[in-house]
Amino acid sequence: MARKDPAEPDIISSALARNRLGVPSVVFFGVAGAAPLTVIIGAISAIYAIIGNTAVPVVYLVTAGILSIFTVGFVAMSRHIVNSGAFYAYISHGLGRVAGVGAAFVALPAYALMQIGLFGLFGSAASDILAALGVKVGWFTCALVAWAVVAVLGLLWVDLSGKVLAVLLVAEISVVLIYDIVMIANPAGGSVSFATLSPGPLFTADVGPMLVLAIAGFVGFEATVVLSEEAKDPKRTIARATHLAVILAGLLCGLSAWAMSVSTGPSQVVAFAQANRTDMVFELVAPHVPEILVQLGYILFMTSVFAALLAFHAAVARYQFALGREGVLPAGWGRTHPRTGAPLLGSVTQSVLAVAVLSAYAVAGLEPLFYVFAWLTTIGGLGVLFLMWSASFAVLAFFVRNRGRENMWRSQIAPMIAFLLLSAVLGITVIGFGELLQVSGDSPFQWLIPVLYLAVAAVGVGWALVMRAARPEAYAAIGRGVDGRTIALPEGPPSTKGSHEPVGARGYHY
């Protein structure tokens, strides 16, 4: 047996399953993360009720526009870097390895909290649905059932999860469109109003919180890039899938928000939302459709949350895999299941963490919708927003150092616009974070969560510096590992000549 070269980096040679996912499957993962039916039933009615502004449809369309601009540079970079680490890998290439590890330490808790928080919503929704059928089951029991199914699917073939998401999302989107058609076909006052599509109400103090809440509803679309190593023809597949995920989620949410206002009348939509909250859509369509279609909507609301659980679980597991493969986490996290190619320890770790947190909430007797779902997903969403903001600047920096790889729009103009827009949104979010958590003005949670994210990022930066001093081979692999090998790019400005680009075994440029 050939002995290992001592100069070779200690990186696990395991790799994710290749060529498993086409464009539709990757789109389903992205849209599932955004969970359109969950957003339509929960977030849109909540924004109408809490903010009291009728510009919700326009806000979702504007948000889709902002994220589409962000996506231009984001997916342009995906054509040059194929890595399941996504934000971590991109920031490593754009802003350096030290910043990349700092981003990774933010990504892990952010996505983990997003996923765990959704268990609270699933458990609560499932418990309510079963209670309506005369079966009394607590939210924690329902959440445990979903947890078990996600834990098993997380260890199986990724394309199997893609097929499960396909079935759930096709049914979910079909019901959303039927509900929208019913609401538009039954307008208040007998005529369809387009008043809520007017941009006028955007120019008020309400626009900041509304944009923040709308962007939180899109979180998950960027998970498409996490699947790049498992996609067929990743350079094309990931770009198309990410754009489609943003556009589809934006159109569905914008259309549904407008349809609600048509059915209630623009002047009554806020009052109706305040009176009915998450039952708003069902109350609007119930008089016009068979009862079974309303019941189906409740069930698909539950499966929409399950689809998001599965998508976020896949994202967390693959982040951990990328970090383990490249030596940032212990090598065990860089191994995959020998038969399915799924990230083994990453999937198990997320499952164990989720059941531990859920058990703690259950023992404490805390209400699942507010303390599990609302709190954890809002806190996780802030972390993802930090990552998006950093990634937009990293994309700009990467293409400034690698001129000629993309045109000006994709490499500089769109990333700069995205960075400026996301800077404004991030600033508004941090300033008003206590309001998003609905805590009192003197609560430490007003400032504690953003500070904690800065702290974990600082820990990541410190760990990267330790790696650079003590394990230079592993440090060189940060953000560069594909096909189980280390592909290191120089920290300085690379040559623009194609002959100097490191090329992987499958012909990808990294």
Side-chain angles (χ1 to χ4, degrees):
M1 180 181 292
R3 288 179 16 178
K4 182 180 180 292
D5 183 349
E8 182 183 346
D10 188 21
I11 302 297
I12 296 301
S13 297
S14 302
L16 296 166
R18 303 294 186 193
N19 298 316
R20 291 282 191 181
L21 304 173
V23 173
S25 293
V26 179
V27 169
F28 288 135
F29 271 98
V31 177
L37 186 56
T38 303
V39 171
I40 289 162
I41 292 173
I44 292 176
S45 57
I47 296 174
Y48 272 129
I50 295 170
I51 306 298
N53 193 305
T54 60
V56 179
V58 184
V59 165
Y60 272 94
L61 295 177
V62 168
T63 300
I66 292 172
L67 296 181
S68 292
I69 294 173
F70 166 77
T71 301
V72 170
F74 189 58
V75 301
M77 205 160 177
S78 75
R79 287 190 281 269
H80 304 276
I81 301 169
V82 178
N83 191 313
S84 60
F87 284 133
Y88 148 72
Y90 291 5
I91 293 170
S92 296
H93 281 270
L95 302 179
R97 293 170 174 84
V98 172
V101 178
F105 275 51
V106 170
L108 289 177
Y111 281 105
L113 289 173
M114 290 289 294
Q115 201 245 4
I116 296 169
L118 286 167
F119 278 114
L121 178 58
F122 181 93
S124 181
S127 179
D128 289 345
I129 291 170
L130 291 172
L133 298 174
V135 181
K136 277 196 165 186
V137 182
W139 76 268
F140 181 62
T141 302
C142 295
L144 279 183
V145 173
W147 170 85
V149 177
V150 170
V152 171
L153 287 174
L155 293 172
L156 298 179
W157 296 268
V158 69
D159 48 328
L160 175 60
S161 294
K163 290 171 183 175
V164 171
L165 292 179
V167 173
L168 296 179
L169 280 169
V170 167
E172 176 184 339
I173 291 169
S174 298
V175 165
V176 168
L177 292 175
I178 291 170
Y179 283 4
D180 288 346
I181 291 170
V182 169
M183 288 187 286
I184 295 169
N186 295 277
S191 61
V192 174
S193 171
F194 297 91
T196 54
L197 293 177
S198 169
L202 284 178
F203 302 101
T204 66
D206 294 334
V207 68
M210 291 172 74
L211 280 172
V212 170
L213 292 171
I215 285 179
F218 280 82
V219 168
F221 81 90
E222 73 289 345
T224 53
V225 179
V226 177
L227 302 167
S228 58
E229 294 181 40
E230 296 155 284
K232 301 171 183 175
D233 191 7
K235 292 184 182 182
R236 293 184 177 86
T237 298
I238 299 303
R240 293 172 183 172
T242 308
H243 281 301
L244 284 172
V246 173
I247 292 169
L248 184 57
L251 290 177
L252 281 173
C253 293
L255 174 63
S256 297
W258 172 65
M260 292 179 200
S261 71
V262 170
S263 188
T264 61
S267 62
Q268 296 299 314
V269 64
V270 170
F272 197 90
Q274 290 170 341
N276 294 279
R277 294 297 180 106
T278 55
D279 286 326
M280 179 178 180
V281 173
F282 300 117
E283 290 294 328
L284 290 173
V285 301
H288 311 291
V289 299
E291 184 180 353
I292 190 170
L293 196 56
V294 176
Q295 294 173 345
L296 180 62
Y298 278 109
I299 293 171
L300 288 175
F301 170 59
M302 184 173 64
T303 61
S304 170
V305 181
F306 177 81
L309 283 167
L310 194 55
F312 278 113
H313 181 94
V316 176
R318 280 151 183 80
Y319 262 107
Q320 292 185 25
F321 166 79
L323 294 171
R325 176 182 59 190
E326 296 168 17
V328 178
L329 291 179
W333 271 269
R335 297 190 177 98
T336 55
H337 192 285
R339 291 184 58 198
T340 66
L344 190 56
L345 197 53
S347 185
V348 171
T349 300
Q350 178 58 19
S351 295
V352 171
L353 177 64
V355 76
V357 173
L358 292 172
S359 299
Y361 272 102
V363 170
L366 295 175
E367 201 276 326
L369 275 181
F370 184 72
Y371 290 105
V372 184
F373 169 62
W375 268 49
L376 296 189
T377 56
T378 300
I379 292 170
L382 175 64
V384 176
L385 187 55
F386 271 124
L387 293 170
M388 291 172 61
W389 172 74
S390 302
S392 62
F393 188 64
V395 170
L396 182 64
F398 175 81
F399 285 117
V400 165
R401 295 204 310 267
N402 295 269
R403 296 183 184 277
R405 293 191 178 191
E406 298 286 346
N407 62 33
M408 283 287 293
W409 166 247
R410 291 195 294 262
S411 64
Q412 295 181 46
I413 298 174
M416 176 57 76
I417 295 173
F419 176 71
L420 294 175
L421 291 172
L422 289 172
S423 294
V425 173
L426 180 60
I428 293 169
T429 305
V430 171
I431 292 169
F433 195 70
E435 294 179 20
L436 293 176
L437 290 180
Q438 298 180 46
V439 296
S440 61
D442 58 351
S443 170
F445 288 102
Q446 290 266 46
W447 53 265
L448 181 61
I449 304 303
V451 169
L452 284 176
Y453 271 124
L454 291 177
V456 295
V459 171
V461 167
W463 179 239
L465 294 175
V466 170
M467 289 179 65
R468 185 169 68 182
R471 298 163 54 210
E473 297 89 353
Y475 177 79
I478 290 172
R480 272 73 180 174
V482 177
D483 285 329
R485 301 184 298 107
T486 301
I487 302 173
L489 293 179
E491 291 280 11
S495 168
T496 58
K497 295 181 181 179
S499 60
H500 290 274
E501 297 174 10
V503 180
R506 295 178 180 268
Y508 305 146
H509 294 277
Y510 309 110

